[in-house]
Amino acid sequence: MKSLGVGLIGTGYMGKCHALAWNAVKTVFGDVERPRLVHLAEANKDLADARASEFGFEKATADWRRLIADPDVDVVSVTTPNQFHPEMAIAALEAGKHVWCEKPMAPAFADAERMLDAARRAGKVAVLGYNYIQNPIIRHIKRLIGEGAIGQVNHIRVEMDEDFMADPDTLFYWKSELSAGYGALDDFAVHPLSLLWYLFGHVDAVVTDMSRPYADRPVKEGGRRKVENHDAAHVLMRLDGGISAVLMANRAAWGRKGRIALQIFGSKGAITFDQERMNEFELYQADGRGSEQGFRKILAAPAHHPYDRFIPAPGHGLGFNDLKIIECRELIRAISGEPSVIVTFEDGLRIEKSVHAMAESFHQRRWIEIA
Amino acid sequence: MKSLGVGLIGTGYMGKCHALAWNAVKTVFGDVERPRLVHLAEANKDLADARASEFGFEKATADWRRLIADPDVDVVSVTTPNQFHPEMAIAALEAGKHVWCEKPMAPAFADAERMLDAARRAGKVAVLGYNYIQNPIIRHIKRLIGEGAIGQVNHIRVEMDEDFMADPDTLFYWKSELSAGYGALDDFAVHPLSLLWYLFGHVDAVVTDMSRPYADRPVKEGGRRKVENHDAAHVLMRLDGGISAVLMANRAAWGRKGRIALQIFGSKGAITFDQERMNEFELYQADGRGSEQGFRKILAAPAHHPYDRFIPAPGHGLGFNDLKIIECRELIRAISGEPSVIVTFEDGLRIEKSVHAMAESFHQRRWIEIA
Amino acid sequence: MKSLGVGLIGTGYMGKCHALAWNAVKTVFGDVERPRLVHLAEANKDLADARASEFGFEKATADWRRLIADPDVDVVSVTTPNQFHPEMAIAALEAGKHVWCEKPMAPAFADAERMLDAARRAGKVAVLGYNYIQNPIIRHIKRLIGEGAIGQVNHIRVEMDEDFMADPDTLFYWKSELSAGYGALDDFAVHPLSLLWYLFGHVDAVVTDMSRPYADRPVKEGGRRKVENHDAAHVLMRLDGGISAVLMANRAAWGRKGRIALQIFGSKGAITFDQERMNEFELYQADGRGSEQGFRKILAAPAHHPYDRFIPAPGHGLGFNDLKIIECRELIRAISGEPSVIVTFEDGLRIEKSVHAMAESFHQRRWIEIA
Amino acid sequence: MKSLGVGLIGTGYMGKCHALAWNAVKTVFGDVERPRLVHLAEANKDLADARASEFGFEKATADWRRLIADPDVDVVSVTTPNQFHPEMAIAALEAGKHVWCEKPMAPAFADAERMLDAARRAGKVAVLGYNYIQNPIIRHIKRLIGEGAIGQVNHIRVEMDEDFMADPDTLFYWKSELSAGYGALDDFAVHPLSLLWYLFGHVDAVVTDMSRPYADRPVKEGGRRKVENHDAAHVLMRLDGGISAVLMANRAAWGRKGRIALQIFGSKGAITFDQERMNEFELYQADGRGSEQGFRKILAAPAHHPYDRFIPAPGHGLGFNDLKIIECRELIRAISGEPSVIVTFEDGLRIEKSVHAMAESFHQRRWIEIA
C-alpha cells in the first residue's frame, strides 16, 4: 500500500493527539506504511504555520477547504469543536477522502445521519475517535468475556465522572447552554457507551434521570445565569440479551478526574476496570478453593495486545495518548481493507441514537425502547 | 437506672451477635448498667439449654411466650426469621417489654404497620437492628456532612452487593420464593436505605429495574425450578431536597462479600466508604492548591466516636460484631430516655414503605412518588 | 474442666482488652468453660472498684499481691507497664497460677530469663500476649505456606510503622528515655518478630541500623531534652534455612497508624498482608495463563478459622479486640492441655534475644549471629 | 539553534524507545527544534534497513563506526547491551558528538571512569538514560519536598522488584553469570538509586545483604548450572545529612512487574509512590484536624509539569515511553545550554560508585563509607 497523505483540521488537544499518533504509528507498529503529514488547517494562519512546524506537517492553511481539496491528502483528521464535524466530514468524504472524526458526530441527530449518508455514498472509511476501546486492557477484557472467563454476563455498571463542572463558582460558559447538548449525557456518557457497544452490543431500553447540581452559575459581568442542561445523568438500561446495566455520568463529581469505572458480573466471575488506572484490571473467577478466591489485580502486559508493540515488559504502562496511536493503526488497517477495531459512522450513529433516547426518557419520565 | 433484664429469642448468627453485645456493652462503655442475661428462647429445648450456657443466660425455654411472660425480662431481642417478627414483637410490646428486633420488620407491609401500632400503644422503646449506621466511620461522615465539609450534597450512589446467590448451580431454596419477598430489594437493599435515611432523610421518588440473573435453579430431586423473585435491583431516586441518588443491590454479584459502597458528592468535595473496608473512608476536599488535591484515605481513629471506647489508638480497627455493641448501648440509652442513635419502628416503617414503592415502580415501569 | 477463676492486674487499654476477651470467649467459641471473673487489681482502690464493676469482676483490690494470693484465682492477666511484668508474673507463677502476660516480657533480658525460669519451675502455662498471630488471616497464611501455595519461601519484608512519635513538637516523655529500652526495636518491632517466629521460625543473623529522627524534644518546663533512644530501626536478617528478610520499624512514620506490612516471596508465588487492613490479604500464584496472573485480594471468610466462630458470612470483618478473644481461647486450651497456638515464655525469650542482638549489631556496626 | 542530527545505535526495546522520543519531542514540546533522524546502526544490515524505515531514519548501517563518523550526526543514542557502552560512547565523544547512553554506564567501574574522562575531554553533553526521574510525579515530589510540604526528610524506603527471574525453572542464561555483574544490584537497583540521587543527593554509607533465591538453574542441554550472582539485594544506607534509608531490590519477586515503591518520611508528613501506578502518588500532611488526616491519592495533572505538554486534563495518564520523550527534551535543552534535568556521566559515576560499595559491603559483612 502506498503511503497515506494526512490532513489535520484543528490543533487543540485532540489535534495534537492525532498528530502524535500520525508521527508514531509506524515506529510503534512497523506493519503499516509511514504516513506523510501533508497538510494542516487551523483558523489562524500564523497558528497554522506554527503548529505545522511543531507537528511536522508540510503545508499549513487557514482554510480547511483547501486542505480537503489537496490531492496529496488521502485521509482527514477532523478535531474541531463538535458543531463543525458535519460540514467538514461531509466535505472531506465528498472529496473522496477517508475521515477520522473526533466524537461525538454532531450535536443534532439529523446531522449525524447526514454524515453517515455521506460516508455510505463515498464508500470511504469513516471512523470516530472513540479511543477508550483501544486500550489493550479493554481488548483483553473482551477476549476474556468471549472465552467465557466469567461465564454469561448478566449485569454491568459503568460510571464516568470528572469534576470540571463541580465548582459552583465556575463561571457560566457555553457547556451549560442548551445548544451545547444535554450535558453529561452527550458530553461524555458517549465514551462509556462506546465501551458497552464494543463489549456487549446495543442498548435496547432505557430509563433516565438527569440532574442539575447547580441551578445557576455566576456570570463574569455580575449576577447569575440559569444552567440550561444537566451535569449529571443516570440511566437504567437493558442491553442485547436482557443484560441489565446502570450508566452513571457526572461532570460535577468532585475528586474524579478521568474515571470510567466498569463492573461486569457474569455467572462464573466478575471483571472491574477504571480508566483512572488504565494499566490494570481486576478479575474474579469462582473456581478453585473458596478460601483463596478474590479479585485479582492484573497489570498491563505484553500478552494484552498490542501493549507488546509499545513495551516488551509487563507493568510499565501505556499512556492516554498511546491509545490514539493504536486507533490510528486500526484506521490505517481499515483503509487497507484489513480487519480492524474501529467505531464507524454507522456504529457511532447507533450510540448517538441511544443518547437521544435517554434524554427522551428523562422528559417522559418512563422507559423508552430503542428500535 | 436499674439493671435491665434481657430476653433473647433466636440463637442463629444474629442471636449470637445480640448475646455478644449484651455481654460486652458494660465493659466497653462503662456508662451503662451491666444488663442481666435472664432468659433465652430457642425452638428446641436442648439447644436452648446449650446456648443459654454458652451465651451466659440464666434460664432457657423452648417456648418464647414464657420468655415474654417472664417478669424479670425488661427488653426482648427478637432475632428469629423475618416472618416471626410481627407476632413476637407485638406480643413482647403488649407484655410491656422493650423490643430490639432484627431488620426488616416483616415481609408484609400491613404486619409492619401493626408492629408500629403496638409500639405506639405500649409506649415502649421499639428498635430495629440496622447496625451499619452505628459504625463510628458512618457517624463521622454524618458529622462531616453536617459541618459542611463537602458543601451541599447533590448526588449519592450506593451499592450493596454479595455473592451468595451468584452461583447458577446453587440449589433452589426459599430465598428464591416469592413469599420470601422481592429478592435483593427487601433482602438487603434495606441496609443501604438505612444509611441513606440516617445520613440524608427520606426518599421522595423512585424508578426501579429488577433483574433475574438466572431464570431457574436446580432442584435437589432433579430438574429445575423457576426463580420467583429478583436477585438484583437498581433504583434511580430523588431524596429530600432534590438530591439525586442511585441505589444498586445485587446478591448474585460474584466477588462481592459484604460490599456497601457509598459515594457522596457535594458542592465542595466528596466522601466514599465501603463496608468491606469498614475501618476507613475517603474524603476529597476542593481546597488548597489543586496540584495536591486528592481523595484522602482516613483510618478509623479515637476521634471517630465511639471508636475510642473500644481502642485508644488509631488504625487498629473494629469488627462487624462491635457495631452491635454500639447499637446495644444506644438502645439502653433510648430506654433510659437519653438521646440516642437508633432506627425506631417508625423510621423502619418508612424504609419499608420505600421498598414497596420501588417494587411497584418496577411493575408499572415508571417513576413512583412516595407520599 | 472446671471453670477458670480469672485475676486481672492492670486496667489500661490492654487490661480492658483482656476483660473483653474473658467476658466473650465462651459466647464466641462455645467449646470452653465460661471463666469466672474473680479478682481485679488496680493501683487505686476507687478505680479498682469502678473497673471491677465495668469489667464484671467480683472483687477489687489496690494490692495485686492479694489478687495473687486469692485461692479462687487460677490464671492471672498481667497488663501493667513492662517494668512490672517480671515481679508480678514470677509471683503469680510461684503462687501456682497460670500467667497471661502482655508483651514484651521485660526491659532487661536477665529479668525475662528469670520469668522463664519461674514458669519452668511452676510447671504452669505462661503465655505472652502476641495477639497479631491470632488473626485468622495470619493463620490461613501459615496454612497456605505449609501447603506450598507459594512454593519455597526465600525472601520476606516486614514493616511496622506508627506515627505517635512523628511530631517533633511532642513533648519529651518516658518513651524517649534509655531506661524505656532501645525505642522502636523493643517497643514494637517485637510484634513483627512474633509473626516471623510464628510463620518461619527463628532469626539466625542480623545487621541493624537505628536512627533518631529528632535529636531532642521540647520539655514542658521549657528548653529541650536529648532523645536517648531510637524511634526507627531497620534490620537485615537471615532466618532459619537462609531466608533473607528485612525488618523495618518506625514509630515516627507520619501517616502510619497500625501498619504491619508483610511481603512474603516464594518460588511459586507471593503473599502480602497489612494489619491496617487486617481483614484481607493478597496472594499471587504463578500458575495458569500469564495474561491473568495477578495479586488476588482475599477477604476474611469463615474458611479462615476461627473467623467462622465470630461471623458465618465472608467479608464482614473482625476487629483488633477480637484477636484477644481468640488468644484467650488458645490460652484456655493450653491450660486444658489441648493443642494451641500461643507464644510461651520460652518462645518470647527467643524473640527478645533477637532484639538484643539487633541492638548489639547497631553498636558494633556489623552482623551478629544469634546462637 | 539548528536542527540536531541524530544517530541511533541499537534497535532493541531501548532503541525503539529513543526513536519514539526523537520522533515525538517536537510535537509534544514545541519549544525545541525538530531533530533530523539521520543514521541508524544495527549489527545486521537487513535489520538496520528495516528499522531505519520503521523508525524514520534516513540512513542505515551495520557498522556503528560509520554512524559516528557521519558529519550529519550531532548526537548519538547508545542503546546497545551494557558491555558495549564504553567503546561506543567514548568513540562518539572523541568524534565530537553528544552522547545519550542507556544506563548503567559499564559493568566495570574503570570503564565508567574512562567514559567520564572522555566526556570531560570532549566538552560535549554526555547523559545517561535514567528515565524514571523524568516522571512529572517525581518532579512534583521533588518540588513538594523543596517547599517543605513534609518538613525535614528523615527516613526513606525504596523497593524495586520484578519477577523475570522468579521462576526457578527458567533456564540459566547470561544474566546469572558473574560477568554480567552483581545481579539485582547493578541490573536494576541503579534505577531507585537515580531517584534517591535526584531527590536527596548522595549515599554516604551502606551495609548490604545479597541473596540467591535459587542456587542453580536448569541448562537447556540437561543438568543444572550454578547461579553466579544474586537476584536479590538489600541495603541499609545513610544519605547526605544523616537520612536513614533502606533499599530493597529483587528480580525474583513473584507478582511484581515494575514496582519502584518509594516511601519518604519527614517531620511534617510523608509521601509514597509506586512506579506500577506511575500516574499517582500519595501525600500525608500532619495539619488540620486529626480526625481527617490521611494519605491523599493525587492523580497526575497538568499542574505537575510537564504533564501539561502531553494532556491538558488531569487523571488521564502518561505512559512509560512518554518519560523518554521528556528526557529527550531535557537532553536537547542541555545541548542548547539551557537548564535541564539530566543525569550526566559525572552523576552516573557516583551512582555506580555506590553500587560497587554496596557489593563490597556484602563481601566484607560490614558497613562501608563512600568517599
Side-chain angles (χ1 to χ4, degrees), chain B residues 31-330:
Chain B
D31 65 356
V32 294
E33 279 303 299
R34 177 169 285 266
R36 284 175 307 117
L37 278 55
V38 172
H39 216 139
L40 176 149
E42 179 51 81
N44 173 293
K45 182 58 165 65
D46 287 345
L47 186 58
D49 285 336
R51 290 286 179 263
S53 156
E54 282 174 38
F55 296 177
F57 279 78
E58 297 164 10
K59 299 175 243 179
T61 178
D63 175 5
W64 61 266
R65 292 189 181 277
R66 292 189 55 181
L67 180 153
I68 280 176
D70 184 340
D72 289 342
V73 168
D74 300 306
V75 56
V76 179
S77 281
V78 178
T79 71
T80 50
N82 303 346
Q83 68 259 37
F84 300 114
H85 292 177
E87 187 178 14
M88 291 171 174
I90 291 170
L93 287 162
E94 289 180 346
K97 316 298 188 189
H98 305 289
V99 170
W100 185 13
C101 181
E102 274 310 305
K103 63 92 237 170
M105 297 175 82
F109 189 68
D111 284 333
E113 285 180 313
R114 287 175 46 230
M115 289 168 75
L116 174 56
D117 279 350
R120 282 181 174 152
R121 280 197 315 271
K124 291 291 167 179
V125 172
V127 165
L128 291 163
Y130 281 106
N131 51 314
Y132 291 112
I133 68 167
Q134 304 294 347
N135 188 336
I137 294 282
I138 295 292
R139 298 246 191 122
H140 193 70
I141 289 173
K142 186 174 173 70
R143 176 182 165 193
L144 286 172
I145 292 170
E147 289 174 354
I150 59 166
Q152 186 79 22
V153 171
N154 56 56
H155 180 57
I156 299 154
R157 294 181 198 155
V158 58
E159 298 170 84
M160 177 155 190
D161 301 308
E162 301 195 8
D163 64 3
F164 60 91
M165 301 296 267
D167 190 340
D169 295 331
T170 297
L171 292 180
F172 188 102
Y173 73 115
W174 64 267
K175 284 234 175 196
S176 292
E177 290 181 30
L178 198 55
S179 62
Y182 305 117
L185 211 50
D186 42 3
D187 192 26
F188 62 55
V190 292
H191 276 303
L193 284 170
S194 73
L195 291 172
L196 292 183
W197 164 83
Y198 173 64
L199 295 171
F200 307 106
H202 293 298
V203 178
D204 283 346
V206 296
V207 66
T208 304
D209 191 18
M210 288 163 68
S211 67
R212 207 172 261 148
Y214 313 117
D216 49 35
R217 288 186 176 276
V219 179
K220 197 164 40 177
E221 300 75 22
R224 303 185 73 83
R225 180 169 165 189
K226 204 165 170 303
V227 170
E228 296 170 5
N229 54 23
H230 295 86
D231 291 331
H234 311 102
V235 190
L236 306 181
M237 298 192 294
R238 290 304 181 103
L239 308 184
D240 265 358
I243 298 172
S244 78
V246 184
L247 167 70
M248 292 154 272
N250 192 335
R251 60 187 189 184
W254 270 124
R256 303 306 188 192
K257 307 302 179 181
R259 178 171 167 91
I260 308 181
L262 263 176
Q263 298 180 65
I264 305 168
F265 297 100
S267 58
K268 293 183 179 168
I271 289 172
T272 71
F273 169 80
D274 183 352
Q275 174 68 24
E276 284 184 358
R277 286 176 169 167
M278 61 172 273
N279 286 293
E280 61 190 64
F281 71 105
E282 288 187 320
L283 171 65
Y284 183 99
Q285 290 182 296
D287 52 22
R289 197 162 69 172
S291 52
E292 281 82 57
Q293 286 179 14
F295 276 96
R296 216 177 300 164
K297 186 182 78 180
I298 300 163
L299 298 178
H304 309 136
H305 305 296
Y307 175 99
D308 53 310
R309 294 307 308 163
F310 292 82
I311 307 172
H316 285 57
L318 301 190
F320 179 87
N321 291 348
D322 292 330
L323 305 185
K324 216 73 197 173
I325 302 175
I326 302 175
E327 191 177 76
C328 184
R329 187 244 199 166
E330 295 297 319

Side-chain angles (χ1 to χ4, degrees), chain A residues 226-247:
Chain A
K226 206 166 167 304
V227 170
E228 297 169 6
N229 53 23
H230 295 86
D231 291 331
H234 311 101
V235 190
L236 307 181
M237 297 193 293
R238 288 306 180 102
L239 308 184
D240 265 358
I243 297 173
S244 77
V246 184
L247 168 70

Side-chain angles (χ1 to χ4, degrees), chain B residues 16 50-56, chain C residues 1-4 6 21-36 306 309 324-340:
Chain B
K16 185 171 182 173
R51 290 286 179 263
S53 156
E54 282 174 38
F55 296 177
Chain C
M1 189 193 132
K2 88 165 177 56
S3 177
L4 274 177
V6 177
W22 287 118
N23 268 288
V25 65
K26 170 69 175 176
T27 305
V28 170
F29 284 99
D31 65 356
V32 294
E33 280 302 300
R34 177 169 286 266
R36 284 177 304 117
R309 295 307 309 164
K324 215 73 195 174
I325 301 175
I326 302 175
E327 191 178 75
C328 184
R329 186 245 199 167
E330 296 298 319
L331 167 67
I332 297 175
R333 287 172 60 88
I335 291 173
S336 309
E338 292 170 274
S340 63

